[in-house]
Amino acid sequence: QVQLVESGGGLVQAGGSLRLSCAASGRRFSDYAMAWFRQAPANEREFVASVSWSGGLTRYAESVKGRFTISRDNAKNTVYLQMNSLKPEDTAVYYCAAPSTDTPGYYDPDIDGYDYWGQGTQVTVSS
């Protein structure tokens, strides 16, 4: 069973930075891709960024390109989301996600490809 635990959320002023972490356990971390999603109140959960198993390939939502960076440390079983130049519209609960065991390399933006989720961490950006 895959377990994902996010940390690093908080309250920050617009223009500030935060780094989210997601610690994974339950299967070999380096075998599968990882992703970050977010969900604002009354909104659907949306894709933010994803990274391949090696860390060499990444994808980003248009709304965060140039501001957010996803990375991973396979030795620490952890994926990160560095968020810079934060805006009030970035306010949401942020979730890390792992793909199905059947498709470990999946790192597309489609939420249906992810079977494992963390509990989420709140990010609030004040104006």
Side-chain angles (χ1 to χ4, degrees), residues 9 44 51 55 67 81 83-84 90 96 102 125:
E44 292 186 351
V51 61
R67 299 187 299 122
L81 186 68
M83 305 185 295
N84 298 330
D90 295 317
C96 70
D102 295 334
V125 185

Side-chain angles (χ1 to χ4, degrees), residues 19-104:
R19 188 176 83 155
L20 306 183
S21 300
C22 173
S25 61
R27 65 181 182 185
R28 193 160 68 182
F29 183 70
S30 59
D31 283 350
Y32 53 97
M34 292 291 295
W36 286 96
F37 286 76
R38 68 186 181 186
Q39 188 168 18
N43 286 3
E44 292 186 351
R45 195 168 297 189
E46 64 176 7
F47 172 80
V48 175
S50 61
V51 61
S52 63
W53 65 270
S54 68
L57 299 173
T58 56
R59 288 190 171 132
Y60 294 94
E62 285 297 324
S63 59
V64 306
K65 272 185 183 176
R67 299 187 299 122
F68 291 11
T69 303
I70 188 171
S71 62
R72 64 189 296 157
D73 185 337
N74 287 344
K76 295 183 178 180
N77 293 348
T78 301
V79 61
Y80 304 98
L81 186 68
Q82 178 66 44
M83 305 185 295
N84 298 330
S85 302
L86 281 161
K87 304 175 182 180
E89 51 264 45
D90 295 317
T91 295
V93 177
Y94 284 71
Y95 299 90
C96 70
S100 159
T101 302
D102 295 334
T103 55

